[in-house]
Amino acid sequence: MVKFTDIKGFIFDLDGVVTDTSRYHAKAWGQLADKLGVDYPGLGDAVKGISRMDALEMILKKGGLENNYSEAEKEALAAEKNANYVNLIQNMSAKDILPGMADFLAELKDKGYGISLASASKNAPTILEKIGLSDYFTKAVDPATLKYGKPDPEIFIKGAQLLDLMPAQCIGLEDAAAGIAGINAAGETSVGIGDPELLHDATINFTDTSQVSLANIEKAMQ
Ligand code: BG6
Ligand code: MG
């Protein structure tokens, strides 16, 4: 394993790591799946980290509907999900920052670590603004520039480039199995936050965000 002293930067997923928006994504996709008549147990976990259009394709496939819609109709379905989602995040504020994450970001900034954002969400800038953390994430990968979604490593490689660091100098934090796969494939150290069974490929596991601190990461890397 990479040594803790080699680590110079942290690359953050947003939904489910910095703030608890995963339940809103799950709810909005659930509403669309119901409308399409698709029964999808475990939908909330399955769409974690997955881009909007890829998530829609997963749902259509689950219902055997992948050939039933034109590209324009798929765009309309994705836009409908997003409208539902945007509605759900309207009242977000600093109270929606997950436990310990504001302190962790402050600690990283204070100690001079690089910080970048690797979120697949096109709503990330709006959410960061609402929860008051935009200033920490001046370096953010624009998901519109990506060729591939998670689990591809592209977003995490770009997250390291934004910090002028090599992947091996970076830690990526994720709540999604697809994200952990992307971090590992990028050659970075992965921190999985959530169910350790679901995130069994992570280098380091924490069951929730309140455990995430430099001291605990250092301990886990010894
Ligand atoms: C990820 C979420 O962060 O962003 C996924 O985990 C979501 O569930 C993806 O589908 C894309 O988000 P958006 O806001 O661009 O539809
Ligand atoms: Mg996430």
Side-chain angles (χ1 to χ4, degrees):
M1 201 199 283
V2 175
K3 292 199 300 292
F4 177 75
T5 47
D6 293 333
I7 298 299
K8 305 289 175 224
F10 288 78
I11 305 174
F12 285 77
D13 174 44
L14 177 71
D15 298 313
V17 168
V18 177
T19 180
D20 189 14
T21 32
S22 298
R23 64 199 166 107
Y24 299 137
H25 278 297
K27 189 168 181 189
W29 281 126
Q31 285 166 348
L32 188 71
D34 285 349
K35 183 183 146 162
L36 297 172
V38 177
D39 183 31
Y40 198 145
L43 173 63
D45 279 332
V47 296
K48 278 185 188 171
I50 306 298
S51 75
R52 198 180 303 171
M53 292 313 286
D54 287 352
L56 175 65
E57 290 293 347
M58 283 170 63
I59 292 167
L60 292 178
K61 211 162 172 193
K62 190 78 172 177
L65 304 172
E66 62 269 40
N67 299 317
N68 291 23
Y69 297 93
S70 67
E71 283 312 308
E73 286 168 335
K74 287 181 191 175
E75 291 290 345
L77 290 174
E80 186 181 327
K81 179 268 171 177
N82 192 53
N84 288 341
Y85 176 71
V86 168
N87 209 19
L88 293 169
I89 61 172
Q90 261 337 293
N91 296 323
M92 284 184 73
S93 68
K95 70 178 181 340
D96 296 297
I97 300 170
L98 280 165
M101 293 316 272
D103 286 346
F104 183 54
L105 284 163
E107 185 184 21
L108 294 181
K109 191 173 180 190
D110 194 43
K111 298 202 166 136
Y113 287 94
I115 299 172
S116 68
L117 189 74
S119 169
S121 174
K122 295 183 173 148
N123 292 296
T126 310
I127 290 168
L128 286 171
E129 198 63 45
K130 282 183 182 291
I131 63 177
L133 294 180
S134 304
D135 288 353
Y136 285 109
F137 294 104
T138 53
K139 292 173 182 166
V141 180
D142 177 357
T145 65
L146 298 173
K147 279 204 199 72
Y148 310 104
K150 297 172 189 177
D152 191 274
E154 184 182 14
I155 193 168
F156 294 102
I157 291 169
K158 287 193 168 166
Q161 283 168 352
L162 287 176
L163 301 175
D164 291 321
L165 293 174
M166 301 297 292
Q169 296 175 294
C170 296
I171 284 181
L173 299 105
E174 262 289 351
D175 68 318
I180 294 296
I183 296 168
N184 291 345
E188 297 163 1
T189 298
S190 54
V191 170
I193 302 166
D195 182 353
E197 264 180 51
L198 210 72
L199 306 174
H200 55 84
D201 286 334
T203 323
I204 298 166
N205 285 95
F206 295 120
T207 50
D208 67 82
T209 54
S210 64
Q211 300 166 352
V212 181
S213 67
L214 280 173
N216 284 346
I217 290 172
E218 182 172 13
K219 211 183 294 169
M221 289 180 80
Q222 272 161 9

